[in-house]
Coordinates of all heavy atoms in Angstrom, one line a residue:
F1 N 93.7 106.8 74.3 CA 93.6 105.6 75.2 C 92.9 105.9 76.4 O 92.9 105.2 77.4 CB 95.0 105.1 75.5 CG 95.7 104.4 74.3 CD1 95.4 104.8 73.0 CD2 96.6 103.5 74.5 CE1 96.0 104.2 71.9 CE2 97.3 102.9 73.4 CZ 97.0 103.2 72.1
G2 N 92.2 107.0 76.5 CA 91.5 107.3 77.7 C 92.4 107.9 78.8 O 93.4 108.4 78.6
T3 N 91.9 107.8 80.0 CA 92.6 108.4 81.2 C 93.8 107.5 81.5 O 93.6 106.3 81.7 CB 91.7 108.5 82.4 OG1 90.6 109.2 82.0 CG2 92.4 109.1 83.5
P4 N 95.0 108.0 81.6 CA 96.2 107.2 82.0 C 96.1 106.8 83.5 O 95.4 107.4 84.3 CB 97.4 108.1 81.7 CG 96.8 109.5 81.8 CD 95.4 109.4 81.4
Y5 N 96.7 105.6 83.8 CA 96.7 105.2 85.1 C 97.8 105.9 85.9 O 98.8 106.3 85.4 CB 97.0 103.7 85.2 CG 95.9 102.8 84.7 CD1 95.9 102.3 83.4 CD2 94.8 102.6 85.5 CE1 94.9 101.5 83.0 CE2 93.8 101.8 85.1 CZ 93.8 101.2 83.8 OH 92.8 100.5 83.4
Q6 N 97.6 106.1 87.2 CA 98.6 106.7 88.0 C 99.2 105.5 88.8 O 98.4 104.7 89.4 CB 97.9 107.7 89.0 CG 98.9 108.3 89.9 CD 98.3 109.3 90.8 OE1 97.2 109.9 90.5 NE2 99.0 109.6 91.9
V7 N 100.5 105.4 88.9 CA 101.2 104.3 89.6 C 101.5 104.8 91.0 O 102.0 105.9 91.2 CB 102.4 103.9 88.8 CG1 103.2 102.9 89.6 CG2 102.1 103.4 87.5
E8 N 101.2 104.0 92.0 CA 101.6 104.3 93.4 C 102.4 103.2 93.9 O 102.0 102.0 93.9 CB 100.3 104.5 94.2 CG 100.6 104.9 95.6 CD 99.4 105.2 96.4 OE1 98.3 105.5 95.8 OE2 99.4 105.1 97.6
L9 N 103.6 103.5 94.4 CA 104.5 102.5 94.9 C 104.3 102.4 96.4 O 104.3 103.4 97.1 CB 105.9 102.8 94.6 CG 107.0 101.9 95.2 CD1 106.9 100.5 94.6 CD2 108.4 102.5 95.0
L10 N 104.0 101.2 96.9 CA 103.9 100.9 98.4 C 104.9 99.9 98.8 O 104.7 98.7 98.4 CB 102.4 100.5 98.7 CG 102.2 100.2 100.1 CD1 102.2 101.4 101.0 CD2 100.8 99.5 100.3
P11 N 105.9 100.2 99.5 CA 106.8 99.2 100.0 C 106.1 98.2 100.9 O 105.2 98.6 101.7 CB 107.8 100.0 100.9 CG 107.7 101.4 100.3 CD 106.3 101.6 99.9
A12 N 106.4 96.9 100.7 CA 105.7 95.9 101.4 C 105.7 96.1 103.0 O 104.7 95.7 103.6 CB 106.3 94.5 101.1
A13 N 106.7 96.7 103.5 CA 106.8 96.9 104.9 C 105.7 97.8 105.4 O 105.2 97.7 106.6 CB 108.2 97.5 105.3
R14 N 105.2 98.7 104.6 CA 104.1 99.6 105.0 C 102.7 98.8 105.0 O 101.7 99.4 105.5 CB 104.0 100.8 104.1 CG 105.1 101.7 104.3 CD 104.9 103.1 103.7 NE 103.6 103.6 103.9 CZ 102.9 104.3 102.9 NH1 103.5 104.5 101.7 NH2 101.7 104.8 103.1
A15 N 102.7 97.6 104.5 CA 101.4 96.8 104.5 C 101.5 95.7 105.5 O 100.7 94.8 105.4 CB 101.2 96.3 103.1
E16 N 102.4 95.7 106.4 CA 102.6 94.6 107.3 C 101.3 94.3 108.1 O 101.0 93.2 108.4 CB 103.8 94.8 108.3 CG 105.1 94.6 107.5 CD 106.3 94.6 108.5 OE1 106.1 94.6 109.7 OE2 107.4 94.6 107.9
G17 N 100.6 95.3 108.6 CA 99.4 95.1 109.3 C 98.1 95.2 108.4 O 97.0 95.3 108.9
G18 N 98.3 95.2 107.2 CA 97.3 95.4 106.2 C 97.6 96.6 105.4 O 98.4 97.4 105.7
F19 N 96.9 96.8 104.3 CA 97.1 98.0 103.4 C 96.6 99.2 104.2 O 95.6 99.2 104.8 CB 96.4 97.8 102.1 CG 97.1 96.7 101.3 CD1 96.5 95.4 101.3 CD2 98.2 96.9 100.6 CE1 97.1 94.4 100.5 CE2 98.8 95.9 99.8 CZ 98.3 94.6 99.8
P20 N 97.4 100.3 104.0 CA 97.0 101.5 104.8 C 95.7 102.2 104.4 O 95.2 103.0 105.1 CB 98.2 102.5 104.6 CG 98.9 102.0 103.4 CD 98.6 100.5 103.3
R21 N 95.2 101.9 103.2 CA 93.9 102.5 102.7 C 93.2 101.5 101.9 O 93.8 100.5 101.4 CB 94.1 103.8 102.0 CG 95.0 103.8 100.8 CD 95.2 105.2 100.3 NE 96.5 105.3 99.6 CZ 97.7 105.5 100.1 NH1 97.8 105.6 101.4 NH2 98.8 105.5 99.4
P22 N 91.9 101.7 101.7 CA 91.1 100.7 100.9 C 91.6 100.5 99.5 O 92.1 101.5 98.9 CB 89.7 101.4 100.9 CG 89.7 102.3 102.1 CD 91.1 102.8 102.2
L23 N 91.6 99.3 99.0 CA 92.1 99.0 97.7 C 91.0 99.3 96.6 O 91.3 99.3 95.4 CB 92.5 97.5 97.6 CG 93.7 97.1 98.5 CD1 93.9 95.6 98.5 CD2 94.9 97.9 98.2
S24 N 89.8 99.5 97.0 CA 88.7 99.7 96.1 C 88.9 100.8 95.1 O 88.3 100.8 94.0 CB 87.4 99.9 96.8 OG 87.4 101.1 97.6
G25 N 89.8 101.8 95.4 CA 90.0 102.9 94.5 C 91.0 102.6 93.4 O 91.3 103.4 92.6
Y26 N 91.6 101.4 93.4 CA 92.6 101.0 92.4 C 92.0 100.1 91.4 O 91.2 99.2 91.7 CB 93.8 100.3 93.1 CG 94.5 101.2 94.1 CD1 94.1 101.2 95.5 CD2 95.4 102.1 93.7 CE1 94.7 102.0 96.4 CE2 96.1 102.9 94.6 CZ 95.7 102.9 96.0 OH 96.3 103.7 96.9
A27 N 92.5 100.2 90.1 CA 92.0 99.4 89.0 C 92.6 98.0 89.2 O 92.0 97.0 88.9 CB 92.4 100.0 87.7
F28 N 93.9 97.9 89.6 CA 94.5 96.6 89.9 C 95.7 96.8 90.8 O 96.2 97.9 91.0 CB 94.9 95.9 88.5 CG 95.9 96.7 87.7 CD1 97.3 96.5 87.8 CD2 95.5 97.7 86.8 CE1 98.2 97.2 87.0 CE2 96.3 98.4 86.0 CZ 97.7 98.1 86.1
V29 N 96.2 95.7 91.3 CA 97.3 95.7 92.2 C 98.4 94.8 91.6 O 98.1 93.7 91.1 CB 96.9 95.2 93.6 CG1 98.1 95.0 94.5 CG2 95.9 96.1 94.3
V30 N 99.6 95.3 91.6 CA 100.8 94.4 91.2 C 101.7 94.2 92.4 O 102.1 95.1 93.0 CB 101.6 95.2 90.1 CG1 102.8 94.3 89.7 CG2 100.7 95.4 88.9
M31 N 101.9 92.9 92.6 CA 102.8 92.5 93.7 C 104.0 91.9 93.0 O 104.0 90.8 92.4 CB 102.2 91.4 94.6 CG 101.1 92.0 95.5 SD 100.3 90.7 96.5 CE 101.6 89.7 97.0
N32 N 105.1 92.6 93.0 CA 106.3 92.2 92.3 C 107.4 91.9 93.2 O 108.0 92.8 93.9 CB 106.8 93.3 91.3 CG 107.9 92.9 90.4 OD1 108.0 91.7 90.1 ND2 108.8 93.8 90.1
N33 N 107.7 90.6 93.4 CA 108.8 90.1 94.2 C 108.7 90.5 95.7 O 109.6 90.9 96.3 CB 110.2 90.5 93.7 CG 111.3 89.7 94.2 OD1 111.1 88.6 94.7 ND2 112.5 90.2 94.1
V34 N 107.4 90.5 96.2 CA 107.1 90.9 97.5 C 107.4 89.7 98.4 O 107.0 88.6 98.1 CB 105.7 91.3 97.7 CG1 105.3 91.5 99.2 CG2 105.4 92.6 96.9
E35 N 108.2 89.9 99.5 CA 108.6 88.7 100.3 C 107.5 88.0 100.9 O 107.3 86.8 100.8 CB 109.6 89.2 101.4 CG 110.1 88.1 102.3 CD 111.1 88.5 103.3 OE1 111.4 89.7 103.4 OE2 111.6 87.7 104.1
R36 N 106.6 88.8 101.6 CA 105.5 88.2 102.3 C 104.4 89.3 102.7 O 104.8 90.4 102.7 CB 106.0 87.5 103.6 CG 106.6 88.4 104.6 CD 107.1 87.7 105.9 NE 106.1 87.1 106.6 CZ 106.0 85.7 106.7 NH1 106.9 84.9 106.1 NH2 105.0 85.2 107.4
L37 N 103.2 88.8 102.9 CA 102.2 89.7 103.4 C 101.6 89.1 104.6 O 101.6 87.9 104.9 CB 101.0 89.8 102.3 CG 101.3 90.5 101.0 CD1 100.1 90.5 100.1 CD2 101.7 92.0 101.3
S38 N 101.1 90.0 105.5 CA 100.4 89.6 106.7 C 99.0 89.0 106.3 O 98.5 89.2 105.2 CB 100.2 90.8 107.6 OG 99.2 91.7 107.0
D39 N 98.5 88.2 107.2 CA 97.1 87.6 107.0 C 96.1 88.8 106.8 O 95.2 88.6 105.9 CB 96.7 86.8 108.2 CG 97.4 85.5 108.3 OD1 98.1 85.1 107.3 OD2 97.2 84.7 109.3
A40 N 96.3 89.9 107.4 CA 95.4 91.0 107.2 C 95.4 91.5 105.8 O 94.4 91.8 105.2 CB 95.7 92.1 108.2
A41 N 96.6 91.6 105.3 CA 96.8 92.1 103.9 C 96.2 91.1 102.9 O 95.6 91.5 101.9 CB 98.3 92.4 103.6
W42 N 96.4 89.8 103.1 CA 95.9 88.8 102.2 C 94.3 88.9 102.3 O 93.7 88.7 101.3 CB 96.3 87.4 102.6 CG 97.7 87.0 102.3 CD1 98.8 86.7 103.1 CD2 98.2 86.9 100.9 NE1 99.9 86.4 102.4 CE2 99.6 86.5 101.0 CE3 97.7 87.1 99.7 CZ2 100.4 86.3 99.9 CZ3 98.5 86.8 98.5 CH2 99.9 86.5 98.7
T43 N 93.8 89.1 103.5 CA 92.3 89.2 103.6 C 91.8 90.4 102.9 O 90.8 90.4 102.2 CB 92.0 89.3 105.1 OG1 92.4 88.1 105.8 CG2 90.5 89.5 105.3
Q44 N 92.5 91.6 102.9 CA 92.1 92.7 102.2 C 92.2 92.5 100.7 O 91.3 92.9 99.9 CB 93.0 93.9 102.5 CG 92.7 94.6 103.8 CD 93.7 95.7 104.1 OE1 94.9 95.4 104.4 NE2 93.3 96.9 103.9
L45 N 93.2 91.8 100.2 CA 93.3 91.4 98.8 C 92.1 90.5 98.4 O 91.6 90.7 97.3 CB 94.6 90.8 98.5 CG 95.8 91.7 98.2 CD1 97.1 90.9 98.1 CD2 95.6 92.5 97.0
A46 N 91.8 89.6 99.2 CA 90.7 88.7 98.9 C 89.4 89.4 98.7 O 88.6 89.2 97.8 CB 90.6 87.6 99.9
A47 N 89.1 90.4 99.6 CA 87.9 91.2 99.5 C 87.9 92.1 98.3 O 86.9 92.2 97.6 CB 87.8 92.1 100.8
Y48 N 89.1 92.6 98.0 CA 89.2 93.5 96.8 C 88.9 92.7 95.5 O 88.2 93.1 94.6 CB 90.6 94.0 96.8 CG 91.1 94.7 95.5 CD1 90.6 95.9 95.1 CD2 92.1 94.1 94.7 CE1 91.0 96.6 94.0 CE2 92.5 94.7 93.6 CZ 92.0 95.9 93.2 OH 92.4 96.5 92.1
L49 N 89.4 91.5 95.5 CA 89.2 90.6 94.3 C 87.7 90.2 94.2 O 87.2 90.1 93.1 CB 90.1 89.4 94.3 CG 91.6 89.7 94.2 CD1 92.4 88.4 94.4 CD2 91.9 90.3 92.8
R50 N 87.1 89.9 95.3 CA 85.7 89.6 95.3 C 84.8 90.7 94.7 O 83.8 90.5 94.1 CB 85.2 89.2 96.7 CG 85.5 87.8 97.1 CD 84.7 87.4 98.3 NE 84.9 88.3 99.4 CZ 85.9 88.2 100.3 NH1 86.8 87.3 100.2 NH2 86.0 89.1 101.3
E51 N 85.3 91.9 94.9 CA 84.6 93.1 94.5 C 85.0 93.5 93.0 O 84.5 94.5 92.5 CB 84.9 94.3 95.4 CG 84.4 94.1 96.8 CD 84.9 95.1 97.8 OE1 85.7 96.0 97.4 OE2 84.6 95.0 99.0
G52 N 85.8 92.7 92.4 CA 86.1 92.9 91.0 C 87.4 93.5 90.7 O 87.8 93.8 89.5
G53 N 88.3 93.7 91.7 CA 89.6 94.2 91.5 C 90.5 93.2 90.8 O 90.2 92.0 90.7
G54 N 91.6 93.7 90.3 CA 92.6 92.8 89.6 C 93.9 92.7 90.3 O 94.3 93.6 91.1
L55 N 94.5 91.6 90.1 CA 95.8 91.3 90.8 C 96.8 90.6 89.9 O 96.4 89.6 89.2 CB 95.5 90.4 92.1 CG 96.8 90.0 92.9 CD1 97.5 91.1 93.5 CD2 96.4 88.9 93.9
V56 N 98.0 91.1 89.9 CA 99.1 90.5 89.2 C 100.2 90.2 90.2 O 100.6 91.0 91.0 CB 99.7 91.4 88.1 CG1 100.9 90.7 87.4 CG2 98.7 91.8 87.1
V57 N 100.6 88.9 90.3 CA 101.6 88.5 91.3 C 102.9 88.0 90.5 O 102.7 87.1 89.7 CB 101.1 87.4 92.2 CG1 102.2 86.9 93.2 CG2 99.9 87.8 93.0
G58 N 104.0 88.6 90.7 CA 105.2 88.2 90.1 C 106.2 87.8 91.2 O 106.6 88.6 92.0
L59 N 106.4 86.5 91.3 CA 107.3 85.9 92.4 C 108.7 86.1 91.9 O 109.1 86.0 90.8 CB 107.0 84.5 92.6 CG 105.6 84.2 93.1 CD1 105.4 82.7 93.3 CD2 105.3 84.9 94.4
G60 N 109.6 86.3 92.9 CA 111.0 86.5 92.7 C 111.8 85.8 93.8 O 111.2 85.1 94.6
R61 N 113.1 86.0 93.8 CA 113.9 85.3 94.8 C 113.6 85.7 96.2 O 113.9 84.9 97.1 CB 115.4 85.5 94.4 CG 115.9 87.0 94.7 CD 117.4 87.1 94.3 NE 117.9 88.4 94.7 CZ 117.7 89.5 94.0 NH1 117.0 89.5 92.9 NH2 118.2 90.7 94.5
R62 N 113.0 86.8 96.5 CA 112.7 87.2 97.8 C 111.4 86.6 98.3 O 111.1 86.6 99.5 CB 112.6 88.8 97.9 CG 113.9 89.5 97.7 CD 113.8 90.9 98.0 NE 112.7 91.5 97.1 CZ 112.5 92.8 97.1 NH1 113.2 93.6 97.8 NH2 111.5 93.3 96.3
A63 N 110.6 86.1 97.5 CA 109.2 85.6 97.9 C 109.4 84.4 98.9 O 110.1 83.5 98.6 CB 108.5 85.1 96.6
D64 N 108.7 84.5 100.0 CA 108.6 83.4 101.0 C 107.6 82.4 100.6 O 106.4 82.7 100.7 CB 108.3 84.1 102.3 CG 108.2 83.1 103.5 OD1 108.3 81.9 103.3 OD2 108.0 83.6 104.6
A65 N 108.1 81.3 100.1 CA 107.1 80.2 99.6 C 106.1 79.8 100.7 O 105.0 79.5 100.4 CB 107.9 79.0 99.1
A66 N 106.5 79.8 101.9 CA 105.6 79.4 103.0 C 104.5 80.4 103.2 O 103.3 80.0 103.4 CB 106.4 79.2 104.3
N67 N 104.8 81.6 103.0 CA 103.7 82.7 103.1 C 102.8 82.6 101.9 O 101.6 82.7 102.1 CB 104.4 84.1 103.2 CG 103.4 85.2 103.4 OD1 103.0 85.8 102.4 ND2 102.9 85.3 104.6
Y68 N 103.3 82.4 100.7 CA 102.5 82.3 99.5 C 101.7 81.0 99.5 O 100.7 80.9 98.8 CB 103.3 82.5 98.3 CG 103.6 84.0 98.0 CD1 104.7 84.6 98.6 CD2 102.9 84.8 97.2 CE1 105.0 85.9 98.4 CE2 103.2 86.1 96.9 CZ 104.3 86.7 97.6 OH 104.5 88.0 97.3
G69 N 102.2 80.0 100.2 CA 101.5 78.7 100.2 C 100.6 78.6 101.4 O 100.0 77.5 101.6
G70 N 100.5 79.6 102.3 CA 99.7 79.5 103.5 C 98.2 79.6 103.2 O 97.8 79.9 102.1
A71 N 97.5 79.4 104.3 CA 96.0 79.4 104.2 C 95.4 80.8 103.7 O 94.5 80.8 102.9 CB 95.4 79.0 105.5
A72 N 96.0 81.9 104.2 CA 95.5 83.2 103.8 C 95.7 83.4 102.3 O 94.8 83.9 101.7 CB 96.2 84.3 104.7
A73 N 96.9 83.1 101.8 CA 97.2 83.3 100.4 C 96.4 82.3 99.5 O 96.0 82.7 98.4 CB 98.6 83.1 100.1
A74 N 96.1 81.1 100.0 CA 95.5 80.1 99.2 C 94.0 80.5 98.9 O 93.5 80.0 97.9 CB 95.4 78.8 100.0
R75 N 93.4 81.4 99.6 CA 92.1 81.9 99.3 C 92.0 82.6 97.9 O 91.0 82.7 97.3 CB 91.6 82.8 100.4 CG 91.3 82.1 101.7 CD 90.6 83.0 102.7 NE 91.4 84.2 102.8 CZ 91.7 84.7 104.0 NH1 91.4 84.1 105.1 NH2 92.5 85.8 104.1
I76 N 93.2 83.1 97.5 CA 93.2 83.9 96.2 C 94.1 83.5 95.2 O 93.9 83.7 94.0 CB 93.4 85.4 96.5 CG1 94.7 85.7 97.2 CG2 92.3 86.0 97.3 CD1 95.0 87.2 97.3
L77 N 95.2 82.8 95.6 CA 96.2 82.3 94.6 C 95.7 81.0 94.0 O 95.3 80.1 94.8 CB 97.6 82.2 95.2 CG 98.1 83.5 95.7 CD1 99.5 83.3 96.3 CD2 98.2 84.6 94.5
P78 N 95.8 80.8 92.7 CA 95.2 79.6 92.1 C 96.0 78.3 92.2 O 95.6 77.3 91.9 CB 95.1 80.0 90.6 CG 96.2 81.0 90.4 CD 96.3 81.7 91.7
G79 N 97.3 78.4 92.6 CA 98.1 77.2 92.6 C 99.1 77.2 93.8 O 99.2 78.2 94.5
A80 N 99.8 76.1 94.0 CA 100.8 76.0 95.0 C 102.1 76.7 94.6 O 102.4 76.7 93.4 CB 101.0 74.5 95.3
V81 N 102.8 77.2 95.6 CA 104.1 77.8 95.3 C 105.2 76.9 95.8 O 105.1 76.4 96.9 CB 104.2 79.2 96.0 CG1 105.5 79.8 95.9 CG2 103.1 80.1 95.5

């Protein structure tokens, strides 16, 4: 199956001011039940997606609907939360 992926866990609190390193080195990003992201982190994700990166978002009980429905998130999420 080729080269296996390496999984890196980043607690959401470490991305409060934006992701600590460029996302371009990752094949895809999974956000699983993340409460909220800062505008800086949403902006980084938008740039990463424009460059061809992949994103999977799994909402859960901790997800802040106002954050996922805000202007920064709306640039990349296809629907309302």
Side-chain angles (χ1 to χ4, degrees):
F1 289 26
T3 305
Y5 290 102
Q6 180 177 341
V7 175
E8 182 177 338
L9 177 64
L10 176 68
R14 288 196 41 222
E16 284 188 13
F19 292 98
R21 59 186 153 277
L23 297 175
S24 59
Y26 298 95
F28 61 94
V29 172
V30 176
M31 291 176 40
N32 184 34
N33 200 20
V34 173
E35 181 179 1
R36 62 184 299 110
L37 289 179
S38 66
D39 285 351
W42 284 117
T43 298
Q44 282 178 286
L45 277 173
Y48 169 71
L49 294 172
R50 279 193 306 273
E51 295 169 2
L55 175 65
V56 176
V57 178
L59 299 178
R61 70 179 189 280
R62 293 188 302 185
D64 177 357
N67 183 259
Y68 282 84
R75 292 187 304 231
I76 61 173
L77 297 179
V81 177

